[in-house]
Amino acid sequence: MNDTILLAHGSGGKLSHDLVERKFLPLLANPLLDKLDDSAIFEANGRLAFTTDSYVVNPIFFPGGDIGRLAVCGTVNDLSMNGAKPLYLSLSVIIEEGLLMADLEHIVRSIKAAADEAQVNIITGDTKIVNRGQADKLFITTSGIGIIPAGIDISGANAKAGDRVILSGTIGDHGIAIMSQREGLRFETLLESDCAPLNKLVAQIVEACPNTHCLRDPTRGGLATTLNEFAKQSNVGIAVEEDKIPVKKEVKAACELLGLDPIYVANEGKLVAIVEPGDANKVLTQMKQNCYGRDAAIIGEVTNEHTGRVIMKTRLGPSRIIDMLSGELLPRIC
Amino acid sequence: MKFIDEYQNSELAKKLAQRIAGHSVRSIRLMEFCGGHTHAIMRYGIRQLLPETIEMKSGPGCPVCVTAIGDLDKAIALAHSPKVIITTFGDMMRVPGSYSSLQQAKAEGANIRVVYSTMDALEMAKASPNKSVIFIGIGFETTAPTIAASIVKAEKERIGNFYVLSFLKLTPPVMKALLGLGEIKLDGIIGPGHVCVITGSHPYGFIPEKYGVAYVISGFEPLDILLSVDKLVQQIETGSPKVEIAYRRGVKPEGNRKALELMQQVFEIDGADWRGIGIVPQSGLKINKEYQHFDANNAFSGLLRSARNDKPAKEPKGCRCGDVVRGAATPLECKLFGKACTPEKPIGPCMVSSEGACAAYYQYGASYE
């Protein structure tokens, strides 16, 4: 019989303790977590950034990652996008009874690997078990605290006319990798999710250019949505060129087949940086030195025209508005 | 997959656009029948490449948009039946019916699942023997063969709890109806490439022969569309309208014989109710006698009849989707467009569907042109 999660693992009694002590603590151990008090206590000086996010991805394992890696990277990236250096994460897991113990172990190992890569510690956590059908295998919530170095002011509202827009790499990898695994839509692809912690890339950017105006990771809603957020928050126009946006050929092919536009497809390891024109090449060079910024490119600029709107020069030459994603991405019918 | 960049080459596009401008003298009006073409035209900014002599109109080629509101009401009524699982393509979920939508019915507890293919619905029927699994069969000649295949498979495997509510429609009869209506004068039609992969080019011969309208079947890449416009302009300028295929890599004149045979095996031709157009004779596909035990219209006839009597269908006030699918109005001419009706809160189907003209105009910012 397969070893699975039972409702009793959430009883608060011995089985609950066993679960935490055997499956979580040995891997995630660090001095703050190991105290096992009701809350973790630590000191921090300076401006703090605080964020939270929940992860309900289906399927929980996908090419290039799983829900555990995603839950760490997502929160690390949210902190990083304000220039914060991530310090600590919390980890809250809701498990559906019947989840294979081996699957849980696999996910905790990826949480550990991602946290190590990002050099953050998980210092507090919780597990709950729910009846079959009340969750879909496993839901994870992570919160994170980071510290913002002095002199850094990064916000979506800081873009100025003339600024350059830099994208850290190819778009759509995560969304297409997930879609390729979805029930009913399975297709063969060698494509992997780009799920990655971007804090080191951000540290390099900020070191090269402390005056970085905006940073954001284009997750759900894709590049188009992030650019629109910048345009609205900063009350500027943004003009990009379709030909300059890096897209892997597998992603392009899948998008053509499904009738999707890669600028709306989700990413989990990419960022958009907006910097002054004089800083653009410096930042680009730095980004290219990081493994998560190898394919970085300047894709456009910020303008005084068409404020609040994003315009894209299409591959054929004419320009069109690109709006935020509305509704869900759905494959075409005919 | 190869041949994507090749069909999006900007140099070739410019050359084609120049050639079109060079020999387009008369002011003409073309209709792109298919919503997929409307989207490609807006997405790549193709209108901006065309000379002022060419006016483009969007046509009825969006399966969700032409589904009659009464038919949608039927699907919603069935969804509320406790022993039923409704399976549908995702676009249908958000289209408002007369009183509700599938999305709203789902939130109220109805068992509705989005599937990507009819075969998934069939699998669901196998996995849920105590439920009746009904697939909402929308689409044109593109989706009809796969729906037919699922019915044949269900028969072969003796699956007794799988049903199809067919709203399938045929493209040649509706083109005939539009041209016969004479509401808008057309000089040429960009033919639906994916549909013609199945049907071939033969069924469209009446368009040039009877109506003197040029007809070129097009693929969906920007160069495909420009090439088709170029051929249409040539036909029109030389006064020699005919059926041409500008999508040779997909379409054969005789179509896909196997797919056509499957359709013939399972369906019979019947009238169909098109939103904005009304009942068009011979334009729909109904499940035939031999397979009628899979027809949701038969199996749930009592339920459907009482639902219709309780709540007659009514169109949303002010919505001009009906005019838009006939090419009689552009989305911009609808007072609701972009104000009361947006992709987030759609009133009519043309704003919901990823193939709808209003959604294309909205998403790609026609107002910016």
Side-chain angles (χ1 to χ4, degrees):
Chain A
M1 202 181 86
N2 285 328
D3 197 9
T4 59
I5 293 284
L6 308 173
L7 215 44
H9 281 116
S11 63
K14 194 170 173 312
L15 271 179
S16 301
H17 275 267
D18 276 1
L19 181 72
V20 171
E21 277 172 21
R22 291 198 185 153
K23 304 297 173 196
F24 287 90
L25 290 181
L27 274 168
L28 304 179
N30 62 68
L32 289 179
L33 180 66
D34 295 348
K35 283 192 179 152
L36 294 181
D37 279 331
D38 281 348
S39 51
I41 299 166
F42 57 88
E43 300 212 359
N45 287 316
R47 277 189 306 156
L48 298 178
F50 179 42
T51 186
T52 188
D53 211 338
S54 297
Y55 300 84
V56 296
V57 66
N58 166 28
I60 57 174
F61 296 102
F62 48 82
D66 57 44
I67 191 170
R69 180 168 174 83
L70 197 62
V72 172
C73 295
T75 294
V76 163
N77 292 348
D78 281 348
L79 289 172
S80 306
M81 295 310 139
N82 285 95
K85 178 183 182 301
L87 298 174
Y88 303 120
L89 299 189
S90 72
L91 173 73
S92 182
V93 186
I94 295 174
I95 308 172
E96 184 189 22
E97 74 173 310
L99 181 77
L100 290 179
M101 206 57 96
D103 284 352
L104 179 66
E105 283 169 13
H106 189 116
I107 287 162
V108 178
R109 271 197 298 275
S110 350
I111 289 172
K112 157 78 173 161
D116 281 355
E117 186 184 347
Q119 292 176 306
V120 293
N121 279 326
I122 288 152
I123 59 168
T124 183
D126 184 48
T127 59
K128 292 280 188 299
I129 318 294
V130 296
N131 286 305
R132 204 177 261 276
Q134 289 184 341
D136 188 4
K137 295 190 181 73
L138 178 82
F139 295 158
I140 301 181
T141 300
T142 51
S143 300
I145 283 192
I147 197 154
I148 303 177
I152 301 296
D153 174 25
I154 296 172
S155 154
N158 288 351
K160 307 244 173 342
D163 284 357
R164 297 292 187 264
V165 181
I166 310 176
L167 174 65
S168 68
T170 55
I171 55 167
D173 303 6
H174 176 75
I176 296 296
I178 295 277
M179 255 181 247
S180 74
Q181 300 298 306
R182 283 248 164 100
E183 211 52 64
L185 203 64
R186 277 169 201 271
F187 52 91
E188 293 281 331
T189 175
L190 296 173
L191 192 70
E192 294 198 332
S193 164
D194 57 354
C195 179
L198 298 175
N199 50 327
K200 285 176 196 161
L201 180 64
V202 169
Q204 280 172 290
I205 293 171
V206 172
E207 199 186 307
C209 173
N211 187 28
T212 298
H213 289 173
C214 322
L215 287 175
R216 193 157 292 170
D217 51 340
T219 52
R220 276 182 312 171
L223 176 67
T225 300
T226 294
L227 293 176
N228 270 285
E229 287 166 0
F230 284 154
K232 286 182 179 66
Q233 264 184 282
S234 297
N235 201 30
V236 293
I238 294 180
V240 297
E241 291 184 37
E242 189 172 22
D243 260 347
K244 301 219 166 124
I245 300 171
V247 185
K248 285 201 175 104
K249 67 174 196 303
E250 298 93 322
V251 171
K252 217 187 253 183
C255 283
E256 288 294 328
L257 206 63
L258 299 169
L260 307 176
D261 191 339
I263 60 172
Y264 292 106
V265 182
N267 312 278
E268 286 295 343
K270 296 291 155 27
L271 62 80
V272 181
I274 294 188
V275 300
E276 290 188 355
D279 292 329
N281 281 325
K282 197 166 54 181
V283 169
L284 186 67
T285 311
Q286 275 299 316
M287 283 168 84
K288 281 175 177 287
Q289 282 167 18
N290 186 295
C291 64
Y292 298 128
R294 262 199 317 257
D295 300 322
I298 298 175
I299 60 165
E301 60 180 66
V302 179
T303 76
N304 268 329
E305 293 161 42
H306 52 82
T307 49
R309 297 252 200 198
V310 181
I311 305 293
M312 181 163 82
K313 190 175 161 211
T314 73
R315 201 164 290 138
L316 297 197
S319 294
R320 65 168 169 91
I321 290 178
I322 57 176
D323 204 352
M324 287 197 186
L325 173 67
S326 51
E328 276 178 79
L329 280 186
L330 292 168
R332 68 167 144 240
I333 300 173
C334 75
Chain B
M1 185 160 59
K2 276 175 74 184
F3 306 132
I4 294 173
D5 293 332
E6 289 85 340
Y7 289 102
Q8 298 181 356
N9 182 306
S10 64
E11 286 309 307
L12 287 175
K14 260 179 225 145
K15 275 189 199 153
L16 261 173
Q18 278 165 4
R19 198 163 89 189
I20 293 167
H23 64 116
S24 173
V25 182
R26 289 178 45 196
S27 281
I28 57 170
R29 187 184 278 153
L30 307 179
M31 173 182 274
E32 79 273 3
F33 178 87
C34 179
H37 282 142
T38 307
H39 271 255
I41 287 167
M42 304 299 289
R43 175 175 167 188
Y44 294 102
I46 288 174
R47 281 181 191 205
Q48 297 166 57
L49 292 175
L50 296 178
E52 279 178 5
T53 44
I54 300 176
E55 185 191 352
M56 302 287 293
K57 286 276 182 190
S58 306
C62 157
V64 171
C65 307
V66 294
T67 299
I69 197 158
D71 286 345
L72 184 59
D73 292 346
K74 280 187 186 177
I76 296 166
L78 289 183
H80 281 296
S81 173
K83 283 206 152 172
V84 158
I85 300 177
I86 293 283
T87 53
T88 175
F89 293 135
D91 272 352
M92 284 293 277
M93 290 295 284
R94 297 171 58 234
V95 181
S98 303
Y99 303 93
S100 178
S101 66
L102 286 171
Q103 181 173 257
Q104 199 178 330
K106 184 169 192 264
E108 287 162 9
N111 198 341
I112 304 173
R113 316 273 181 88
V114 170
V115 293
Y116 299 107
S117 104
T118 329
M119 291 299 175
D120 296 340
L122 192 59
E123 289 304 315
M124 210 171 280
K126 280 196 232 172
S128 324
N130 300 324
K131 298 270 187 182
S132 299
V133 174
I134 304 174
F135 181 74
I136 310 296
I138 60 161
F140 302 118
E141 293 90 338
T142 38
T143 51
T146 56
I147 294 174
S150 71
I151 290 174
V152 170
K153 193 171 181 213
E155 173 81 356
K156 202 171 152 196
E157 298 183 9
R158 296 174 186 279
I159 300 166
N161 62 328
F162 174 69
Y163 304 91
V164 171
L165 189 62
S166 172
F167 302 137
L168 289 168
K169 294 179 174 61
L170 299 171
T171 54
V174 78
M175 290 190 197
K176 192 170 172 186
L178 281 183
L179 292 168
L181 210 60
E183 186 180 22
I184 56 163
K185 168 96 186 66
L186 290 178
D187 300 287
I189 295 176
I190 297 181
H194 293 152
V195 164
C196 294
V197 169
I198 307 293
T199 60
S201 57
H202 294 323
Y204 303 90
F206 72 91
I207 293 173
E209 284 155 26
K210 185 164 176 209
Y211 296 96
V213 171
Y215 188 84
V216 176
I217 296 163
S218 175
F220 292 82
E221 296 298 336
L223 285 187
D224 288 322
I225 296 170
L226 284 168
L227 181 68
S228 303
V229 171
D230 184 50
K231 284 180 181 293
L232 284 168
V233 170
Q234 266 176 36
Q235 287 189 24
I236 295 162
E237 289 295 336
T238 56
S240 52
K242 59 181 181 225
V243 170
E244 249 186 291
I245 304 172
Y247 188 34
R248 290 261 168 206
R249 67 188 187 282
V251 177
K252 291 192 215 115
E254 68 277 17
N256 182 326
R257 218 179 65 198
K258 200 170 174 194
L260 291 170
E261 280 170 4
L262 253 177
M263 283 161 67
Q264 217 159 30
Q265 184 184 337
V266 174
F267 298 116
E268 63 187 42
I269 291 176
D270 196 10
D273 193 0
W274 295 65
R275 194 166 195 159
I277 301 169
I279 307 268
V280 178
Q282 314 267 302
S283 74
L285 290 176
K286 182 182 150 186
I287 297 173
N288 67 23
K289 283 226 160 59
E290 194 184 335
Y291 294 93
Q292 64 180 356
H293 43 292
F294 294 106
D295 189 345
N297 271 312
N298 280 343
F300 302 91
S301 57
L303 212 145
L304 289 170
R305 206 175 309 121
S306 64
R308 194 178 57 225
N309 292 341
D310 291 352
K311 291 180 165 182
K314 58 166 199 214
E315 293 283 340
K317 220 175 150 192
C319 170
R320 296 193 67 186
C321 279
D323 297 332
V324 170
V325 298
R326 292 197 312 276
T330 69
L332 301 178
E333 289 169 69
C334 176
K335 284 196 178 117
L336 306 181
F337 177 83
K339 299 185 184 86
C341 182
T342 61
E344 293 77 42
K345 215 169 161 266
I347 291 175
C350 301
M351 188 59 97
V352 177
S353 173
S354 56
E355 285 150 280
C358 297
Y361 272 68
Y362 189 91
Q363 187 183 349
Y364 300 125
S367 54
Y368 179 68
E369 278 178 15

